[in-house]
Amino acid sequence: MITDDDYLYFTGRALDGMTGIVAGLGDELANTRPALPGANSPYALLTHCLGVVSYWAGALVAGRAVDRDRDAEFGSAGPVRPLLDQAAAVRAQLAEDVRSAEPDAPLRAAPPAAFLGPDRELTQGAALLHVYEELAQHHGQMEILRDALLAGEPAGLPR
């Protein structure tokens, strides 16, 4: 089985990739949606990923109360610096949550169906795998968003 350090290495790579993209795009482009059907801004996608980590690892694995508005994550916007600071704090908390997890134990609560997680009963270890799944998936998605934005095709601009 993988170690906590292995898990945190790979989740960290995904988070570093996303925060690097948002930082590199800056305030304006990080908050822009590219002209792709259903696309989110990189800022909103990182906000969503931080919500995923906080809720799945914090509430369902560690048992902390986590207030999350999943729908609002996708409409979020703002300056990049505070979001990057939030990402660093979420990453540090994830390390604590992973190290205190009981991989074979049941979740500390049932995830709401609206959160679109796996459609089966999960252990704490499986919930942490879902966190990695989301981070890896959205990191790749954000690379595509960045490429589209840098190509100069934000929503509403002619091609």
Side-chain angles (χ1 to χ4, degrees):
M1 195 37 112
I2 65 170
T3 66
D4 293 350
D5 288 338
D6 289 338
Y7 178 82
L8 292 168
Y9 171 78
F10 286 104
T11 56
R13 282 174 46 105
L15 282 167
D16 286 348
M18 288 187 282
T19 57
I21 289 169
V22 168
L25 290 173
D27 289 341
E28 184 177 342
L29 281 179
N31 285 284
T32 302
R33 293 174 186 260
L36 299 169
N40 295 295
S41 72
Y43 185 102
L45 198 56
L46 179 55
T47 300
H48 168 65
C49 286
L50 299 179
V52 167
V53 173
S54 295
Y55 184 77
W56 285 83
L60 302 182
V61 173
R64 273 192 319 283
V66 174
D67 184 29
R68 180 178 184 208
D69 183 347
R70 184 182 183 279
D71 292 336
E73 293 165 4
F74 295 104
S76 64
V80 166
R81 182 77 254 157
L83 183 62
L84 298 177
D85 293 343
Q86 180 187 357
V90 167
R91 183 176 177 170
Q93 184 62 60
L94 175 62
E96 290 181 33
D97 294 342
V98 166
R99 288 190 167 88
S100 67
E102 300 174 48
D104 295 328
L107 297 179
R108 299 194 186 267
F115 281 11
L116 305 175
D119 60 354
R120 59 185 280 246
E121 204 167 304
L122 300 178
T123 61
Q124 291 180 24
L128 290 173
L129 284 176
H130 176 61
V131 168
Y132 173 72
E133 170 189 40
E134 289 287 310
L135 293 176
Q137 162 184 274
H138 288 313
H139 178 215
Q141 182 182 11
M142 195 181 294
E143 290 175 323
I144 294 167
L145 295 174
R146 176 205 54 214
D147 294 348
L149 289 168
L150 292 177
E153 299 182 10
L157 295 181
R159 294 181 174 215

